[in-house]
Amino acid sequence: MMLMKNISMLFALLLSAVSVCAQTQQLAAPPAVNAARATKPAATKTITVPPEKAQPVDITRFDKPPAIDGKIDEEVWKSASVLRDFYQTQPGDNISPSQRTEVLLGYDSKFLYVAFKAYDEAGKVRATVAKRDAIFDDDNVRIVLDTFNDQRKAYIFGFNPFGVQADGILTEGGGEDYSVDVVMESKGVVTEDGYFVEVAIPFKSLRYAAGKGKNWGVHAFRRIKRFDNELNSWMPISRDISGLLNQAGRITGLENIASERVLEIIPTFTISETGKRIAVQASLTDPLLADRGRFLNKPAEFDPGVNVKLGITQSVILDFAANPDFAQVEADQPVITANQRFPIFFAEKRPFFLEGIDIFQTPLTAVHTRAIVDPDYAAKLTGKVGRNSFGVLLASDNAPGNYTEEERANPDILPRIERFLDKNAYIGVLRAKRDVGKESSIGLIGTSYNFIERHNHLAGIDGRFKVDKQTTLNFQVLGTNSRRFFYEPDEDRNIFRTGNGFAYNAAYFYGGRNFSWELYGEGKTRDYRADVGFNSQTNTNFNSLFFGYNSTPKPKATLISYHVHNFTHIDYDFQGRMQIWESEFAAELGLSRQTYIGGGYERAYERVFEEEFGAIRTATRAGAFFGDNAERSSNKHHFFLWGGTKPSKKFGMDFRVVYRAGHLDYDFGAGRRFPRVSPAALLDPEAALDPGRGGLFEFRTSMFYQPSDALNTTFSFVRNRLTRYDTGLVAFDDNLFSSRTTYQFTRFLFVRARLDYLTLSSRVRGQYLIGWTPSPGTSFYAGYNDDMNYNGFSPFTGIREDGLRLNGRTFFIKTSYLFRRSL
């Protein structure tokens, strides 16, 4: 009955959206524009777009290419089309900018040429020798190109004053993704008058539609950091309209472009030598030294691979990878996992999967390519034809059958894994999406995951509809069929069976000049599985209401703006039992010198049931929880304080402090340092779980220091400490220290050192890297990673070990080269 109510409510919303499907959805703006929206004026402001900006700008065709040297002094630039008369859109509301900016545009048969003239006072420009995509703490300029003029997706090309590149994809409603790398050339020069940047973007690096009568959407931005993060825009940005690409200007005249089918081949080679600590048998003459382990160095490994990209047309791309090099140059940031019930999401970083990833992204994360762990091969076809976008992904993943040598040699483990050894999982994804009306869209998605005793199939529909200038409706509905083991709390065992699941998501958002609100709903049934995607919790519904107010900005004042909001949500399972209720009230002040401070209070209630943790009790069997109570609950009070500042290019910091009174300790324990401290566990360490209330203190801060243009260092600290009320004992106290230092010799050559230390696990992890990355696809890395215990416990005996003990280390050299040819 509860399921049918949710379905009915969802389809009622969908029917209301279909009646206005010719309208378009709200699309997310870049961080610069999102920040601008956070300081919205109080009253409606009419914006008149000048005639020269209301009509498409005709782009000049160059008769000879300019030299990309940052000087903009060639005669050919005098004939370029010019974008001028910018508006300050943050913190001001379409007022005169502090400094003058011009953007020059031209093209020939192979390249789009862009030049930025960012005038400024001598010695005031903020610039560093940054790595690619790390320019946003510098002054910077950006151009946004909607190459299909569909107001749904666009390329972002950003540059700092030295011409360091940042490139990505802007998806309306989905934000920015800077994981995409585009082959192009750029150079910047700082002068007494400000700085100049020249850019040449090959058309063969883009997906686009061009020719007679074709327009591209365009935005041009400039960020001036010292003026309270001032953002200037060529087009006026109305805060009475949700979206960015629907407020873009237009360029036209891109005709007689060379039609090139591009073939890219990137061979990769990795040489690595790994060592690890392994167990050994105890000495008969000295049993006290039992199994402290020894360190074993494995032979060096050579791992070649190849990635191939073929441009079938200007908008359809085929990618193939054989034994792809998916070794990550930078590992995931460690996180605190004590008292954690559900999986933690980690973003995709691998280049092959990042190409065209936006087409596969949906609200419920039906596709998360990190589910494909170690493929032998993978192929992908993505593109757009007319109003239709599509994507097909196939992969053979050897990770499920790739067991370690120790597991294979263990006679107790081998019988359980023998039938899975060296077997692959076969994975497929199909995505189709159609533009509807002016800004709306509707899509279909299907995935399949197949391995021995683990089969999962998913299919669904999603859509985005722009109801009016301020209002959007997004939705997704998914159904799944699985043939696999499911844990049955009624029987306290895993049962191999078929399970059918259902998930839904809907969001109705209004974003006005001052006020914004959102009604949101999401739910997943007990047997819902998305083995090619990401999912944290099942048998739950999440319904929320957000309401916020943004003040009138005062660009010259100390208090530039303020924001207040309430966010309330209720979670309940499909049996109608409430799981969580929370209502947060918060406010934030935006101050000068890029400084902000905020605080809030949240009233909350949490309820957990023993079948979420294990067996359900019966007359003849104990349940997952200790005692007579099959559920636990807590009234909670949460207090927040946060802030940050970036007063100069040399220093910045931020912090967040939270105290959660009444937070539930789930009684998992936190290793040898913090065994379980519940009343039941103190009487019997093997007792059933005994969740109880406590006080959770959370603190996190990060600081960066940039003593020179080439050197920067960042330090961060996170602490979580939970103390039980009933016993007065600490359930866990974990501290994460992280430091990262980079010296950027040039735009392409750098060295980096990173160190992470988690006190709870006593783990110290170091990563040391030298890299040379002259262009996307071409790179050379040499690195060393290690993993150590510091005053920790032996993984074999549990005996405390003083000092540093090495668990594992890896030396590696990784190189790749881009061969690029036009066919």
Side-chain angles (χ1 to χ4, degrees), residues 72-214:
I72 320 181
D73 55 0
E74 292 92 348
E75 187 70 21
V76 69
W77 281 117
K78 294 181 180 180
S79 65
S81 306
V82 184
L83 310 182
R84 53 168 63 93
D85 299 327
F86 278 55
Y87 302 81
Q88 182 190 141
T89 59
Q90 179 193 346
D93 181 14
N94 296 308
I95 63 176
S96 297
S98 301
Q99 302 293 333
R100 182 163 61 98
T101 307
E102 292 181 352
V103 179
L104 283 62
L105 297 172
Y107 81 101
D108 58 24
S109 63
K110 293 186 177 182
F111 293 90
L112 174 70
Y113 300 102
V114 186
F116 298 88
K117 293 183 176 181
Y119 296 97
D120 209 333
E121 301 173 52
K124 297 294 186 180
V125 172
R126 292 189 184 180
T128 63
V129 185
K131 64 174 292 188
R132 191 185 193 98
D133 296 332
I135 69 169
F136 298 111
D137 286 327
D138 295 341
D139 290 345
N140 61 81
V141 289
R142 279 180 283 173
I143 188 165
V144 177
L145 298 174
D146 180 0
T147 55
F148 289 97
N149 194 31
D150 60 10
Q151 303 182 30
R152 292 165 176 84
K153 186 170 66 175
Y155 290 98
I156 311 169
F157 300 109
F159 311 90
N160 82 348
F162 294 146
V164 179
Q165 302 169 4
D167 43 2
I169 298 294
L170 164 65
T171 304
E172 289 277 28
E176 294 176 338
D177 178 8
Y178 284 97
S179 60
V180 176
D181 289 332
V182 174
V183 177
M184 59 180 165
E185 185 180 359
S186 64
K187 183 67 180 297
V189 176
V190 178
T191 72
E192 291 298 312
D193 299 321
Y195 64 94
F196 299 154
V197 178
E198 272 184 301
V199 185
I201 305 172
F203 287 112
K204 65 184 179 181
S205 292
L206 306 177
R207 303 186 186 197
Y208 63 91
K212 188 174 181 179
K214 297 287 187 180

Side-chain angles (χ1 to χ4, degrees), residues 373-514:
V373 180
D374 187 14
D376 288 330
Y377 64 83
K380 180 170 51 177
L381 181 69
T382 56
K384 182 167 186 175
V385 178
R387 287 180 165 264
N388 302 305
S389 302
F390 60 89
V392 180
L393 173 64
L394 302 172
S396 175
D397 187 5
N398 66 29
N402 188 16
Y403 292 88
T404 66
E405 294 177 6
E406 290 79 11
E407 291 171 322
R408 295 167 187 257
N410 190 319
D412 296 325
I413 298 177
L414 183 61
R416 300 199 304 268
I417 65 173
E418 196 165 13
R419 63 191 301 248
F420 307 115
L421 290 178
D422 302 319
K423 303 297 184 181
N424 281 27
Y426 297 97
I427 297 160
V429 179
L430 176 63
R431 172 69 165 156
K433 191 175 181 181
R434 180 171 176 82
D435 298 342
V436 179
K438 191 175 181 181
E439 294 177 63
S440 303
S441 62
I442 193 163
L444 301 172
I445 193 163
T447 71
S448 180
Y449 186 100
N450 294 279
F451 187 65
I452 302 169
E453 296 181 351
R454 184 181 170 189
H455 303 272
N456 174 253
H457 309 288
L458 174 150
I461 184 172
D462 59 278
R464 297 177 182 272
F465 299 99
K466 191 73 172 285
V467 179
D468 55 39
K469 289 184 177 181
Q470 293 85 23
T471 311
T472 58
L473 171 66
N474 303 334
F475 80 93
Q476 185 169 21
V477 180
L478 295 174
T480 64
N481 172 267
S482 303
R483 184 68 178 168
R484 56 177 293 166
F485 281 96
F486 289 84
Y487 175 74
E488 298 293 344
D490 292 336
E491 303 183 40
D492 191 24
R493 64 189 181 98
N494 290 312
I495 297 178
F496 187 76
R497 64 174 177 83
T498 298
N500 296 315
F502 168 79
Y504 69 90
N505 172 288
Y508 192 81
F509 175 79
Y510 171 86
R513 178 168 285 269
N514 293 100

